[in-house]
């Protein structure tokens, strides 16, 4: 039997920011947790939407034509092709869903390697 995934347990296994960790998969998508603090780089994903669900803390997703601020239990989907930059003033824990292999910066040359935990 496959065990349930405890997101708090997975998040306790690392401390680095902006380094997504894969905790499972769903129909060809990576289910990832990430700790965020400070500003991420402006980027876009030309072929896929970007799903963010805040678990703890607050996250502002800046886009060129406005921004949205999320608290615990709130989610936002950045449409494909929309340039955005996640920003967090405090450490924030997030669940992200993306097609497997999607570079987190939108560019394989600058993306971090996602690891399974």
């Amino acid at each position: 039997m496959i065990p349930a995934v405890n997101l708090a347990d997975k998040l306790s296994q690392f401390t680095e920011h902006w380094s997504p960790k894969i905790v499972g998969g769903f129909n060809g998508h990576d289910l990832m947790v990430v700790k965020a603090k400070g500003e991420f780089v402006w980027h876009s994903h030309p072929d896929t939407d970007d799903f963010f669900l805040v678990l703890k803390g607050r996250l502002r997703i800046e886009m060129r034509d406005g921004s949205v601020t999320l608290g615990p239990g709130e989610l936002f989907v950045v449409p494909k092709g929309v340039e955005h930059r996640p920003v967090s003033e405090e450490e924030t824990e997030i669940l992200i869903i993306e097609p497997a292999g999607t570079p987190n910066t939108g560019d394989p040359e600058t993306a971090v390697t996602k690891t399974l935990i």
Side-chain angles (χ1 to χ4, degrees), residues 18 34-39 52-61 68-74 85-94:
W18 305 114
V34 63
K35 291 183 179 180
K37 187 171 183 184
E39 299 175 348
F52 295 86
L53 170 64
V54 172
L55 304 170
K56 179 181 176 185
R58 297 191 64 76
L59 181 72
R60 185 175 68 253
I61 301 174
V68 62
T69 300
L70 307 172
E74 295 182 312
R85 174 177 73 164
V87 178
S88 180
E89 304 300 324
E90 61 187 87
E91 186 171 83
T92 300
E93 297 175 351
I94 309 163

Side-chain angles (χ1 to χ4, degrees), residues 3 10 12 19 32 39 50 60 64 66 73 75 84-85 112:
K10 297 293 186 181
S12 74
S19 181
M32 299 171 288
E39 299 175 348
D50 219 353
R60 185 175 68 253
R64 296 298 184 184
L75 68 85
H84 60 285
R85 174 177 73 164
V112 298

Side-chain angles (χ1 to χ4, degrees), residues 10-26:
K10 297 293 186 181
L11 284 155
S12 74
Q13 295 180 32
F14 64 97
T15 59
E16 63 266 32
H17 297 129
W18 305 114
S19 181
K21 307 298 182 201
I22 301 169
V23 297
F26 175 77

